[in-house]
Amino acid sequence: MDKKIIGFAVILMILFVGGVDVFAKVGVSSDMNSETLRGLRSIYVWVAPMDSKIEQEGLKAVQIRRDTELQIQREGIKLLPEAEFNRLRRSRNYPLGRLEIIVTIKDIKEGNEKIYNITVRFSQIAFLSRAPVIKLFAPTWEIQTIGYSGDLRKVTEGVKAGVEAFISAFMSVNSK
């Protein structure tokens, strides 16, 4: 069967299954991706701004950031404040990166149900092999969760699960 038809059928199922919390994980969590985390010493956590309507319903970017930082600190991973991250980022050889949390939530016209997309991505400085003087900030690890629920706590749980997957990958190559 054509992959496009299967994908469309899955999306339709997610949209039209009523009263059920549905989610799917998308992303590549391989040993190769984990290797890009080896030797990192410090992390800055950045959470994308959220829709004000969603924040009024109780899911706040500030709380997601606090929860994420607590998860990371419990594992002994060094966190950087934004100013320190920006200062060290200009240094050529300092091993650091940015954990990015992006949550997008859209209302479904009927009821209280929402479709959400959670991206937990780690970006770090990379150099072009053909021109090593050119450095850029590029994503090297990512996991994504797509779901459907009327309960915003499911979104919070999805973020925590994505951060936990990142911590697991990080710790697998940076044991204490």
Side-chain angles (χ1 to χ4, degrees), residues 88-130:
L88 290 172
R89 190 169 98 163
R90 290 188 280 282
S91 168
R92 182 170 173 90
N93 295 319
Y94 194 82
L96 72 130
R98 178 176 61 206
L99 186 64
E100 303 161 353
I101 315 270
I102 304 160
V103 178
T104 307
I105 301 174
K106 298 293 180 193
D107 283 325
I108 297 176
K109 293 186 183 192
E110 297 177 17
N112 191 31
E113 304 298 315
K114 296 174 182 2
I115 296 175
Y116 59 87
N117 179 51
I118 302 164
T119 303
V120 177
R121 174 187 307 141
F122 190 78
S123 295
Q124 58 186 309
I125 295 169
F127 295 91
L128 293 178
S129 62
R130 69 178 173 359

Side-chain angles (χ1 to χ4, degrees), residues 5 25 38-39 50 70-71 86 99 120 125 150 162 165 171 175:
I5 293 172
K25 287 200 185 286
R38 185 178 299 279
M50 296 183 62
L70 283 173
Q71 265 184 284
N86 287 331
L99 186 64
V120 177
I125 295 169
M171 297 306 282
S175 59

Side-chain angles (χ1 to χ4, degrees), residues 54-70:
I54 297 300
E55 290 213 346
Q56 288 172 354
E57 292 181 35
L59 185 64
K60 300 187 183 315
V62 170
Q63 187 61 48
I64 290 173
R65 181 174 177 172
R66 259 187 249 134
D67 292 348
T68 300
E69 287 176 342
L70 283 173

Side-chain angles (χ1 to χ4, degrees), residues 5-108:
I5 293 172
I6 292 172
F8 184 69
V10 169
I11 290 172
L12 284 177
M13 284 175 45
I14 289 172
L15 291 176
F16 294 110
V17 174
V20 177
D21 294 320
V22 179
F23 69 93
K25 287 200 185 286
V26 181
V28 180
S29 296
S30 70
D31 291 338
M32 186 62 169
N33 279 352
S34 296
E35 278 301 316
T36 66
L37 305 174
R38 185 178 299 279
L40 289 166
R41 290 198 302 246
S42 305
I43 295 172
Y44 167 64
V45 174
W46 177 80
V47 178
M50 296 183 62
D51 186 311
S52 60
K53 182 177 180 260
I54 297 300
E55 290 213 346
Q56 288 172 354
E57 292 181 35
L59 185 64
K60 300 187 183 315
V62 170
Q63 187 61 48
I64 290 173
R65 181 174 177 172
R66 259 187 249 134
D67 292 348
T68 300
E69 287 176 342
L70 283 173
Q71 265 184 284
I72 291 170
Q73 285 175 326
R74 269 187 294 230
E75 297 300 326
I77 300 169
K78 182 180 177 188
L79 286 176
L80 293 172
E82 184 176 11
E84 183 73 359
F85 169 76
N86 287 331
R87 186 183 71 75
L88 290 172
R89 190 169 98 163
R90 290 188 280 282
S91 168
R92 182 170 173 90
N93 295 319
Y94 194 82
L96 72 130
R98 178 176 61 206
L99 186 64
E100 303 161 353
I101 315 270
I102 304 160
V103 178
T104 307
I105 301 174
K106 298 293 180 193
D107 283 325
I108 297 176

